[in-house]
Amino acid sequence: MFLLNRDEGRPPTASRDQNSDAHQERRCWDEPTPGYLDQDAMRFFYRWGGHLSATLIRIRARFDGDLDQYVLYLTFLLAELAETMNAEAGAVRPARGMNALSVSEITGIPRESARRKLLLLAANGYLHRDEEGLFTLGDRYGLDAFFSELKPLFWDAVRLPR
C-alpha cells in the first residue's frame, strides 16, 4: 500500500488553481491488490516479529532488564522530540522538566516505582535532575541512538530479501 495523489493521471480541473501556494495535494491510501494477505504477509510478520523481539531484548539489556525504565525514559525522549518539532515550526517554548507524579500519570507506572526508576535513570546519565526535583533528558542515549535502535522495525522488517 502506498500513498498516492488522487489526481495522479487525471487532467487538471478548471476549478483547481495549480499556481496557488495554498493548494495542498490530497493523498489517500491506495486500495490493496486482491489477495495481498495471501502473498507474503506471514513471512513479513514473522520477520517483523523477530526484529521486534531482538529490539526489545537489546533495549531491556540497556536498561538493566527493566522495560519500565525504558518506558519512563521514552516519555522524556518523546517530549524532546516534540520540542524539536515545535522549534522547527517556530513555536519555541522554554524546556521544562517533569516530576515523578506527572511521569507516573503519563505511563501508568505507580508513583513510587516511577520515582525510584527515575532516580536510577538520573544516576546512570539517561536523565538530569534539577534542584527543584524535575527531570529532563540526559546525554547518555539521545534521539540518534533511539532511532538507530528502532530502525530494524521500520526498515529491515519491510525490506524484501534479495
Side-chain angles (χ1 to χ4, degrees), residues 57-146:
I57 289 166
R58 277 193 312 277
I59 290 169
R60 185 174 175 263
R62 175 182 296 281
F63 290 90
D64 299 323
D66 187 354
L67 284 176
D68 277 353
Q69 282 188 44
Y70 181 68
V71 170
L72 292 167
Y73 179 76
L74 189 57
T75 304
F76 290 91
L77 198 68
L78 293 174
E80 176 82 10
L81 187 58
E83 286 178 20
T84 301
M85 291 185 323
N86 286 336
E88 289 173 357
V92 180
R93 297 182 187 117
R96 287 186 30 206
M98 290 186 271
N99 62 25
L101 180 60
S102 297
V103 178
S104 171
E105 290 174 354
I106 291 167
T107 62
I109 296 171
R111 187 185 60 80
E112 185 53 31
S113 295
R115 187 190 68 76
R116 267 192 335 270
K117 292 170 193 262
L118 289 168
L119 291 171
L120 278 171
L121 289 167
N124 289 325
Y126 291 103
L127 300 177
H128 293 292
R129 184 173 188 216
D130 67 16
E131 61 280 348
E132 296 174 13
L134 299 178
F135 294 91
T136 56
L137 192 62
D139 299 327
R140 181 163 177 193
Y141 178 77
L143 287 173
D144 289 339
F146 167 74

Side-chain angles (χ1 to χ4, degrees), residues 35-47:
Y36 77 99
L37 285 176
D38 296 333
Q39 293 173 4
D40 272 340
M42 288 188 354
R43 281 192 176 97
F44 167 80
F45 286 111
Y46 177 79
R47 277 194 324 271

